[in-house]
């Protein structure tokens, strides 16, 4: 693990690192914020998965998580959203290819050689962070948009790996959305039965989540028809899943929305991780 940069922030350290990924077959970059408490003892870890077109840097610089993480004693890891590099498959569209990994393991060419973000987050990067940084093997997960989709699907499918779960404006029902059907068919093929394990609403409806779930959504989000928060809320109601889906008047899909509620989410995870 190579240090790209480390900067002091709210008494802790905001670091950016890179490593050679066997899972993705390329060099991967990620960021981790370590709160001041990590200087004394290992701290719990909150995973933040970013959305379409983003990389490790967007939420690190725009999300406002550092101040809240320092207050509550949580480390926050910001992975990239896809493999990258000259030898990695890409597409001219913003919503497919590099920057749009969708947190799945691709099974179709030309994507399957590198696009294995599901295994990368859950296995390889998790081990890398635990081995090299002063963090506990105690994890929460959250994310925005495509990252909210990734956070919910990973947690629901792997209850034992996470203790807390939340999401900002997640792509809630990708099997019935243009933000989902395009990517799932490209990465996984045309057999829609394989898509359901990557659909938050369907997974919650079938399996539920072991704890309570916090979802924040802007009422003025320009992508509401693609996100389908009402389908997620319906699934939670049918399952009688403990949790909250909060719709906020006037908020859109931007990082101003994420920044506005980052403190609520960090506190939510800290309460359940500590």
């Amino acid at each position: 693990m190579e240090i790209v940069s480390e900067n002091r922030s709210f008494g802790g350290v905001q670091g950016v690192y890179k490593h050679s990924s066997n899972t993705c077959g390329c060099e991967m970059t990620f960021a981790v914020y370590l709160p001041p408490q990590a200087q004394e003892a290992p701290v719990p870890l909150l995973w933040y998965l970013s959305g379409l077109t983003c990389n490790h840097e967007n939420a690190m610089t725009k999300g406002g998580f550092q101040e809240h993480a320092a207050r509550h004693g949580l480390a926050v890891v910001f992975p990239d959203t896809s493999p990258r590099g000259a030898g990695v498959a890409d597409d001219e569209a913003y919503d497919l290819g590099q920057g749009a990994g969708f947190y799945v393991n691709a099974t179709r060419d030309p994507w399957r050689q590198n696009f294995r973000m599901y295994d990368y987050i859950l296995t390889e990067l998790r081990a890398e962070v635990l081995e090299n940084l002063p963090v506990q093997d105690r994890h929460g997960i959250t994310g925005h948009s495509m990252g909210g989709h990734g956070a919910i699907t990973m947690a629901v499918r792997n209850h034992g790996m996470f203790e807390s779960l939340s999401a900002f404006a997640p792509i809630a029902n990708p099997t019935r959305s243009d933000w989902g059907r395009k990517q799932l068919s490209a990465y996984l093929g045309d057999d829609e039965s394989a898509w359901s394990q990557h659909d938050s609403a369907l997974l919650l409806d079938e399996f539920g989540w072991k704890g309570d779930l916090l979802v924040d959504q802007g009422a003025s989000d320009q992508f509401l028809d693609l996100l389908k928060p009402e389908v997620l809320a319906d699934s939670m109601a049918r399952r009688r899943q403990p949790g909250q889906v909060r719709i906020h008047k006037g908020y859109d899909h931007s990082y101003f929305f994420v920044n506005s509620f980052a403190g609520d989410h960090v506190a939510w995870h800290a309460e359940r991780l500590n």
Side-chain angles (χ1 to χ4, degrees), residues 1-239:
M1 193 174 85
E2 180 181 340
I3 299 172
V4 177
S5 63
E6 289 184 332
N7 300 96
R8 201 72 170 168
S9 177
F10 295 98
V13 175
Q14 177 61 66
V16 177
Y17 311 95
K18 62 183 179 180
H19 70 121
S20 179
S21 168
N22 292 324
T23 303
C24 294
C26 63
E27 186 175 79
M28 296 292 288
T29 303
F30 64 98
V32 180
Y33 176 71
L34 292 173
Q37 295 87 337
Q39 299 170 30
E40 304 297 329
V43 295
L45 182 61
L46 175 60
W47 293 79
Y48 179 94
L49 306 186
S50 292
L52 287 167
T53 75
C54 295
N55 57 27
H56 70 279
E57 187 175 13
N58 299 78
M60 179 187 79
T61 58
K62 299 178 183 179
F65 286 90
Q66 291 85 351
E67 180 177 6
H68 308 297
R71 182 180 306 117
H72 292 283
L74 291 186
V76 185
V77 58
F78 305 94
D80 205 342
T81 54
S82 75
R84 298 180 191 271
V88 176
D90 201 6
D91 191 273
E92 293 182 356
Y94 77 94
D95 58 354
L96 189 67
Q98 295 185 34
F102 242 74
Y103 303 102
V104 303
N105 290 334
T107 58
R108 293 188 69 189
D109 290 331
W111 313 107
R112 62 180 173 180
Q113 180 176 348
N114 304 105
F115 281 71
R116 303 187 58 80
M117 291 303 294
Y118 185 86
D119 281 353
Y120 174 70
I121 298 294
L122 288 176
T123 304
E124 187 176 29
L125 185 56
R126 185 183 179 105
E128 188 85 11
V129 171
L130 287 173
E131 181 179 349
N132 290 287
L133 295 171
V135 295
Q136 299 175 14
D137 191 5
R138 187 165 176 80
H139 307 256
I141 190 167
T142 188
H144 175 228
S145 194
M146 179 183 73
H149 138 81
I152 297 174
T153 56
M154 287 182 177
V156 172
R157 291 177 60 188
N158 301 276
H159 280 211
M161 298 184 74
F162 299 98
E163 299 302 323
S164 56
L165 171 62
S166 72
F168 300 81
I171 301 174
N173 190 207
T175 61
R176 292 295 177 265
S177 168
D178 288 342
W179 270 0
R181 295 187 63 82
K182 173 183 179 179
Q183 294 84 358
L184 294 175
S185 62
Y187 296 143
L188 303 178
D190 296 329
D191 181 5
E192 296 190 18
S193 64
W195 300 1
S196 60
Q197 62 182 324
H198 300 289
D199 188 300
S200 299
L202 297 181
L203 287 170
L204 278 172
D205 204 19
E206 183 174 1
F207 300 111
W209 164 245
K210 65 181 181 181
D212 47 356
L213 168 64
L214 173 63
V215 176
D216 280 313
Q217 172 66 61
S220 296
D221 193 314
Q222 58 271 45
F223 304 114
L224 269 177
D225 290 342
L226 294 167
L227 301 172
K228 300 186 180 298
E230 69 281 0
V231 181
L232 184 69
D234 287 345
S235 292
M236 291 175 64
R238 281 194 301 273
R239 181 76 188 187

